[in-house]
Amino acid sequence: MLALIYSDRYINRMNTDPTKKLSGKSALVTASSRGIGRAIALRLAADGARVAVNYHRDDRAAQDVVGAITAAGGQAIAVQGDVGVQADVERLFKEAVAAFGSLDILVNNAGLGAHGPIAEIDTALLDRVVDVNVKGTFYALQQAARLLNDGGRIVNISTGYTRSAFPGFGVYTATKAAVEHLGLALSKELGARRITVNSVLPGLVDTDQTAPIRDQFAAVAAMTPLGRVGEPEDIADIVAFLATDDARWVTGQRIAAAGGLA
Ligand SMILES: NC(=O)c1ccc[n+]([C@@H]2O[C@H](COP(=O)([O-])OP(=O)(O)OC[C@H]3O[C@@H](n4cnc5c(N)ncnc54)[C@H](OP(=O)(O)O)[C@@H]3O)[C@@H](O)[C@H]2O)c1
C-alpha cells in the first residue's frame, strides 16, 4: 500500500511539472505492471516519456498502470510478453515502436528470484531463472542495440548482492552478474551512437517479490545506514536520472541503491 501512495507523487505531478526532462521520448519498461517496474513506468511518464508497460500474466495490473498514466495526461500502452521467450521480446519492441514511432529508453527490469543453496537448486528453476534474467535481458539488449534511437538510454536492474556473496542467493546473483556484464559490454559497442548503458543495483526493496521475507525487513533496516528498506520509488528516481540528458556522460557503470548497505 505504501508503494501505491508513494507513486501517487508521480501521478500528481504529471500535468503540473513544467520541467519534463523526457518530453518527446519513448520508453519500454519490462515487468512494469507491479513493483519496481511499475514505479519506473510511472516516474518516466511523469517526466514526459511515452511508456510501454510490459507484463506477463496480470493484464489488469498493467491496465491500471496505463490508466493512471493516461488519466494524468501521459501516454502509455500495455504490452503482454514473457521476457524469457525471444519471440515475445521481439514482439514487445515491435508493438512499442508501432505505438510510439521509435524508442529511446529501455529499462530491463524483469527478473526472477531463486533462493536456495547451490547444492539444492532445482535445475528446472535454474533454467527458468536463466531464461528470464539472462536470456531475457540479452534478447532485449539485442533488440535495443538494433532499434534504439541514437542518444538512447538502457538501464538494467541488477542487485546489490553482486557486490558480495550472500548465502542462498548464488544462482540469482550469478544471473544478475551476467546482466551487469552484458550491460558493460554493450556500453562499449553503443558509445559511438551516444547510447548509454548502466546497471542499477538495488538493495532490499518492499515489493511482492520480497513479501515472503517481510519479517526480516526490520533486521535489514537496522543494518542499513539510512535506517529502512527501499521503496520502489527509491530505484525509479535513479533510473529516471540515468534516462535523462543529465546523465549523458555516465555509461558502463554499476550504481548501487541500497541506503548505504554494503
Ligand atoms: N525487490 C527487491 O528487493 C529487489 C532487490 C534487488 C533487485 N531486484 C530486481 O528488481 C527487479 C524488479 O523486482 P520486483 O521486486 O519489483 O519484482 P516483482 O514485484 O516480482 O515484479 C513483478 C512484475 O514482474 C512481471 N513479470 C514476472 N515475470 C515476468 C516475465 N517472465 N516476463 C515479463 N514480466 C514478468 C510481473 O508481471 P505479471 O504480474 O503480469 O506476472 C510484474 O509486472 C527484478 O529484476 C529483481 O531481481 C529486486
Side-chain angles (χ1 to χ4, degrees), residues 118-204:
I118 286 169
E120 288 164 27
I121 286 278
D122 178 76
T123 48
L125 176 63
L126 174 70
D127 284 345
R128 181 63 182 149
V129 173
V130 169
D131 278 351
V132 172
N133 297 11
V134 182
K135 290 188 184 175
T137 299
F138 174 82
Y139 301 143
L141 290 176
Q142 194 168 53
Q143 289 296 305
R146 292 173 184 164
L147 294 172
L148 236 53
N149 289 328
D150 288 359
R153 297 282 182 270
I154 300 172
V155 183
N156 293 329
I157 305 300
S158 178
T159 170
Y161 286 155
T162 55
R163 296 184 299 158
S164 55
F166 207 75
F169 288 87
V171 165
Y172 170 70
T173 306
T175 64
K176 291 295 193 177
V179 165
E180 287 177 18
H181 189 82
L182 285 169
L184 177 61
L186 195 62
S187 72
K188 314 287 182 193
E189 296 177 14
L190 298 185
R193 289 170 51 202
R194 293 177 293 104
I195 296 174
T196 67
V197 191
N198 292 290
S199 292
V200 172
L201 285 52
L204 183 63

Side-chain angles (χ1 to χ4, degrees), residues 33-34 36 56-58 82-83 109 158 172 176 203 205 207:
S33 57
R34 291 187 283 118
I36 294 169
H56 183 207
R57 291 201 171 95
D58 186 352
D82 179 346
V83 162
N109 169 70
S158 178
Y172 170 70
K176 291 295 193 177
V205 178
T207 67

Side-chain angles (χ1 to χ4, degrees), residues 10 29 32 35-45 51 107 109 157 232 235-237 239-240:
Y10 301 147
V29 184
S32 54
I36 294 169
R38 176 184 185 276
I40 294 169
L42 292 174
R43 171 64 207 261
L44 297 183
V51 182
V107 183
N109 169 70
I157 305 300
I235 311 306
D237 288 345
V239 173

Side-chain angles (χ1 to χ4, degrees), residues 20-23 25 105 151-153 194 196 239-250:
K20 291 190 175 179
K21 295 193 170 194
L22 297 177
S23 286
K25 304 291 184 190
I105 300 160
R153 297 282 182 270
R194 293 177 293 104
T196 67
V239 173
F241 163 69
L242 291 170
T244 64
D245 190 55
D246 292 343
R248 64 195 169 276
W249 201 232
V250 179

